[in-house]
Amino acid sequence: MEISKSEYEYSNPKTFALPVDSEHKATEFRLFSVAAPHMRAFHLSWVSFFACFVSTFAAPPLLPIIRDNLNLTATDIGNAGIAAVSGAVFARIAMGTACDLFGPRLASAALTLITAPAVYCTAIASSPISFLLVRFFTGFSLATFVSTQFWMSSLFSGKVVGTANGVAGGWGNLGGGATQLIMPLVFDLIHKNIGSTKFTAWRIAFFIPALFQTLSAYGIFFLGQDLPDGNYSELHKSGDKHKDDFSKVVYHAITNYRGWILALTYGYCFGVELTIDNIIAQYFYDRFNVNLHTAGIIAASFGLANIFSRPGGGMLSDLTAKKFGMRGRLWTLWLVQTLGGIFCIFLGKVGSLGLSVAIMLIFSVFVQAACGLTFGVVPFVSRRSLGIVSGMTGGGGNVGAVLTQVIFFRGSQYTTEKGLELMGVMMICCTLVIMLIHFPQWGGMFCGPSSKGVTEEDYYISEWTSAEREKGFHKASMKFSENSRSERGKKVDSAPTPADRTPNTYV
Amino acid sequence: MSDKAPLMLKCSGFPRAGGKASVKTPELCVCLLVALAFDDIGKVGAAALVLKAGQDSIVKWSLNTTVAPGTDSAYKMMVVKLCYAPVSQKDRGWRKTVDDLKKDKTCQHDIVTSQYSPSSNTYTWTVARDVPTATYFVRSYAENAELVKVAFGQTTDSNKTTNLFQVQAISGRHVSLDISAICFSAFSILSLFGFFFMEKRKAKASQQK
């Protein structure tokens, strides 16, 4: 006798290694566990994102050799740096769509594999143009950020989603710092121990990040799972997961103004982080006359702060949400990002090496925590279009990186220190728009929840038409609404509970 | 046949001795004469001379002085370097010419370091494999006992416009590298198709469950 998967599950409830809620999302985040599907997916996604970051920023630490081999000018280098982060602008949005439609496992494995050839082919680049092209296509791999955040938002409940997103994002971003140490080390090994000449050794070195990327894609495909209950492809076929309509998903993402605001503000924390990854080694080398190795170590420490600062931001978001709900998340995000902008201004103004490194480290903590805090808010903007909203926000980050590099760090209009000051000012100004975010069910920074008594269900179910609701497509959003009630914070007197709505029964 | 580059003209300024921290180029005595003599190999017409990295015995230089006797009493060591011409410094801040010798990045490749002797010195130099493709001239510095630079000479004029030569670097690429890169790339793309195929099969199988 054939039974559907959901009937099978009802009679044989799945047991998970972690405690789960009604959507089977984990309510705890256990860092040192690799239990499937939740923690295993976490480790697979951050490692592959880390690999993509290593590949994307593998060139900057080896630039002193590459620029001589390929006869690059400062303009060529600047353009390649901009190309490296601009490809991901649209790739991140496309990735969001792919996650909504095909699931994060397939989407991220596919992207990681497709961009691996660009990294392999960096080894055979022979001119400024080919260098720009390989950096451009390699940069697409940064879109795996979106699949990471989407995957974590699908597997972890609201109580810990900020933490899960923050650690996964932070440890992936770590790659940008780690690569400043890894690539020179690999280069040294090949140049001194194997004996290749400099102009050949750097080429061989690029095979390491490329292989790492390829292997991580394999890991995700074979060991990962999209949702607690299975993969998209299986769930689609069994009817448990409705295959959504692309145009509807896009519509609900682009008509939600909160997604656009977060895209802008993310450009001024994550975008700033990417820009700094590209320019900071040269800044210390030129302004303070440290040698290249030292400049590389300083540059690495900026990215390495991600090991705790971005996760810290995510955890802070979850912590403030416990007491103050979504309003707490928004206030903390605004505060931390504004402080990041202030320290960026200081960084440009400071003239001594020791103080400059100290300010840079403080700046890195605030700006990376702001990234973590942003993705404590993103999972709540939309349930139906979570992927595209994540993609838009992520893409906005890269737009910020392109903008800041083009305006402040290209050509000789501003010295690098002046550029840093002005970038800090721009950070503070663009962060102000967070004040405009308002959730009718929870409120915003200055206003409380809507007086009309809007509930979480009202907000998330409004993304589905009545025809779709009749077919039951909105079931997942219903469960999510109930679970997101924690975003009201401890003061629960604000919004009413849905007494006379359709009861939350589901098979 | 050899091609001799013309020699330094003036001897202006006065020699600086003493172990001061930063030495500035305009303060150095331009009291040395540097000349380049090239073999026929690699010679490409009279306009631009192109040397290939890694090739042997391309360059010979000789060094002598024509200044007042006693000027060179402080000179103990000679350092000869390969220096970037202005056209190769353009839009490349890492090769910038700065007066303060500690920060000057014009001359980044060493040719030879030797004891100073007033009479003619010759050196046969092999262009190293990590010298980039660019336009160059040769400069030699004289150092005193405290290893502070006190004088210099170069193969080109003070505006660095005459008698420049080019070096053609190695590409660093090898056929084996090209093949490996292409093979691994193809493998990645094939894996991707494999993944999609496997996924479709798994989905069909679960539907039949």
Side-chain angles (χ1 to χ4, degrees):
Chain A
M1 189 181 83
E2 276 193 9
I3 51 172
S4 81
K5 200 152 190 269
S6 42
E7 284 173 346
Y8 178 80
E9 266 194 8
Y10 185 68
S11 44
N12 304 287
K14 246 188 182 151
T15 42
F16 293 101
L18 273 67
V20 295
D21 64 12
S22 61
E23 291 175 276
H24 292 166
K25 291 188 184 178
T27 53
E28 268 178 38
F29 180 77
R30 292 196 196 145
L31 190 56
F32 297 108
S33 152
V34 283
H38 307 95
M39 292 315 299
R40 185 174 298 180
F42 163 76
H43 287 293
L44 287 169
S45 65
W46 84 256
V47 167
S48 75
F49 184 41
F50 177 92
C52 294
F53 242 101
V54 168
S55 304
T56 304
F57 292 100
L62 296 182
L63 266 177
I65 296 144
I66 301 178
R67 69 192 178 195
D68 277 345
N69 192 184
L70 302 182
N71 208 9
L72 305 175
T73 61
T75 308
D76 293 330
I77 294 176
N79 287 341
I82 293 172
V85 296
S86 56
V89 171
F90 293 107
R92 285 180 161 205
I93 301 173
M95 188 58 148
T97 315
C99 285
D100 279 325
L101 300 176
F102 305 112
R105 172 180 152 264
L106 214 55
S108 69
L111 180 66
T112 312
L113 272 184
I114 278 193
T115 48
V119 191
Y120 288 114
C121 289
T122 309
I124 55 180
S126 57
S127 64
I129 301 221
S130 54
F131 181 66
L132 184 133
L133 285 174
V134 291
R135 282 210 80 186
F136 176 65
F137 287 111
T138 304
F140 277 55
S141 67
L142 287 188
T144 45
F145 167 73
V146 177
S147 56
T148 304
Q149 303 293 287
F150 183 98
W151 211 352
M152 297 301 101
S153 304
S154 307
L155 293 174
F156 291 91
S157 76
K159 280 202 272 180
V160 288
V161 74
T163 305
N165 275 343
V167 184
W171 287 13
N173 279 20
L174 210 59
T179 195
Q180 313 260 8
L181 297 172
I182 294 174
M183 292 308 285
L185 212 73
V186 172
F187 168 79
D188 259 353
L189 235 83
I190 299 174
H191 176 50
K192 300 209 171 111
N193 293 28
I194 303 183
S196 310
T197 62
K198 280 187 186 171
F199 289 175
T200 303
W202 77 262
R203 297 170 181 278
I204 303 177
F206 266 82
F207 275 81
I208 303 297
L211 283 168
F212 185 17
Q213 222 179 289
T214 312
L215 287 172
S216 67
Y218 269 74
I220 288 188
F221 181 77
F222 287 108
L223 302 172
Q225 188 175 294
D226 288 315
L227 292 167
D229 297 330
N231 287 317
Y232 270 43
S233 52
E234 298 154 3
L235 296 176
H236 281 162
K237 288 268 190 266
S238 70
D240 277 319
K241 190 174 189 333
H242 146 71
K243 197 169 186 181
D244 211 343
D245 182 343
F246 173 64
S247 55
K248 291 265 175 64
V249 170
V250 170
Y251 174 78
H252 284 292
I254 59 179
T255 52
N256 194 328
Y257 75 93
R258 301 168 194 84
W260 290 103
I261 293 184
L262 289 172
L264 171 61
T265 61
Y266 197 59
Y268 287 92
C269 55
F270 182 64
V272 164
E273 184 182 337
L274 288 182
T275 298
I276 298 278
D277 275 338
N278 262 338
I279 62 126
I280 198 72
Q282 274 179 310
Y283 171 67
F284 278 97
Y285 183 77
D286 291 333
R287 188 167 186 199
F288 300 104
N289 269 312
V290 295
N291 66 38
L292 215 66
H293 252 116
T294 312
I297 293 176
I298 298 175
S301 60
F302 174 82
L304 290 176
N306 263 302
I307 202 173
F308 60 84
S309 54
R310 186 170 175 141
M315 285 183 234
L316 191 61
S317 189
D318 287 339
L319 218 71
T320 45
K322 256 200 216 163
K323 219 175 166 211
F324 301 108
M326 175 55 69
R327 297 183 74 182
R329 291 191 197 260
L330 292 169
W331 266 102
T332 317
L333 170 59
W334 174 79
L335 201 65
V336 169
Q337 193 158 318
T338 304
L339 281 169
I342 293 176
F343 280 102
C344 192
I345 298 176
F346 285 163
L347 182 63
K349 284 199 179 289
V350 160
S352 77
L353 177 60
L355 196 58
S356 192
V357 173
I359 300 270
M360 184 202 75
L361 290 172
I362 300 176
F363 163 63
S364 71
V365 171
F366 279 99
V367 88
Q368 289 158 9
C371 297
L373 282 154
T374 307
F375 276 84
V377 177
V378 166
F380 298 100
V381 170
S382 162
R383 181 62 189 80
R384 185 173 190 181
S385 311
L386 171 63
I388 299 195
V389 171
S390 301
M392 277 166 58
T393 309
N398 284 58
V399 171
V402 171
L403 276 177
T404 48
Q405 282 178 93
V406 167
I407 299 174
F408 303 122
F409 300 106
R410 191 199 198 207
S412 26
Q413 193 186 359
Y414 300 112
T415 58
T416 309
E417 47 264 36
K418 193 72 189 168
L420 287 169
E421 269 183 62
L422 295 174
M423 184 165 74
V425 173
M426 199 168 183
M427 274 175 82
I428 297 177
C429 295
C430 291
T431 305
L432 289 169
V433 293
I434 294 180
M435 300 180 175
L436 299 174
I437 297 184
H438 183 267
F439 286 89
Q441 70 274 34
W442 300 315
M445 272 175 78
F446 295 112
C447 305
S450 163
S451 49
K452 288 186 238 155
V454 179
T455 66
E456 288 81 1
E457 274 78 0
D458 293 331
Y459 179 80
Y460 292 110
I461 306 305
S462 65
E463 294 181 315
W464 304 90
T465 65
S466 42
E468 290 167 332
R469 278 180 239 168
E470 257 162 57
K471 291 190 209 155
F473 292 161
H474 67 302
K475 279 191 284 184
S477 293
M478 289 286 290
K479 291 189 203 174
F480 181 74
S481 311
E482 192 175 317
N483 291 322
S484 69
R485 217 160 284 156
S486 54
E487 293 308 304
R488 296 187 190 178
K490 282 261 156 73
K491 304 183 197 171
V492 205
D493 48 51
S494 31
T497 38
D500 0 80
R501 316 278 164 161
T502 24
N504 297 335
T505 47
Y506 31 83
V507 241
Chain B
M1 260 202 325
S2 64
D3 202 3
K4 274 214 171 66
L7 313 170
M8 266 319 299
L9 316 161
K10 302 189 283 178
C11 179
S12 54
F14 31 88
R16 263 199 62 160
K20 277 295 163 126
S22 96
V23 180
K24 298 216 177 354
T25 311
E27 296 165 346
L28 291 182
C29 171
V30 188
C31 293
L32 300 167
L33 298 172
V34 186
L36 291 165
F38 296 105
D39 285 332
D40 281 345
I41 307 165
K43 193 164 133 191
V44 180
L49 201 54
V50 180
L51 309 179
K52 290 229 173 78
Q55 295 204 354
D56 299 332
S57 306
I58 301 298
V59 177
K60 295 180 189 157
W61 60 264
S62 57
L63 178 72
N64 43 48
T65 61
T66 54
V67 297
T71 321
D72 61 345
S73 55
Y75 303 173
K76 289 286 175 287
M77 300 289 292
M78 295 300 314
V79 180
V80 187
K81 287 175 178 244
L82 188 66
C83 309
Y84 292 106
V87 63
S88 287
Q89 290 176 305
K90 201 164 151 216
D91 204 11
R92 293 178 175 88
W94 58 91
R95 297 178 183 167
K96 204 163 160 207
T97 299
V98 172
D99 277 348
D100 186 345
L101 275 181
K102 266 222 173 103
K103 299 185 178 169
D104 183 44
K105 302 202 168 111
T106 321
C107 305
Q108 294 184 14
H109 303 277
D110 285 339
I111 296 179
V112 69
T113 305
S114 69
Q115 292 277 2
Y116 171 74
S117 90
S119 56
S120 171
N121 300 271
T122 339
Y123 182 76
T124 306
W125 170 56
T126 309
V127 183
R129 280 171 182 274
D130 62 352
V131 172
T133 299
T135 309
Y136 297 90
F137 60 94
V138 176
R139 177 182 288 180
S140 82
Y141 288 103
E143 291 176 346
N144 64 10
E146 285 95 41
L147 295 183
V148 173
K149 293 181 169 58
V150 290
F152 78 98
Q154 55 194 24
T155 55
T156 181
D157 63 355
S158 51
N159 288 326
K160 298 182 246 180
T161 51
T162 59
N163 284 296
L164 304 170
F165 61 95
Q166 291 175 4
V167 170
Q168 177 70 44
I170 60 167
S171 75
R173 288 174 61 178
H174 291 274
V175 176
S176 55
L177 262 183
D178 291 358
I179 296 180
S180 306
I182 303 213
C183 282
F184 276 106
S185 304
F187 175 72
S188 302
I189 302 292
L190 284 174
S191 300
L192 186 59
F193 284 114
F195 284 3
F196 278 124
F197 178 67
M198 287 171 71
E199 193 70 4
K200 267 219 154 90
R201 267 213 333 214
K202 244 200 279 182
K204 277 217 182 96
S206 77
Q207 190 181 23
Q208 283 156 12
K209 243 200 284 184

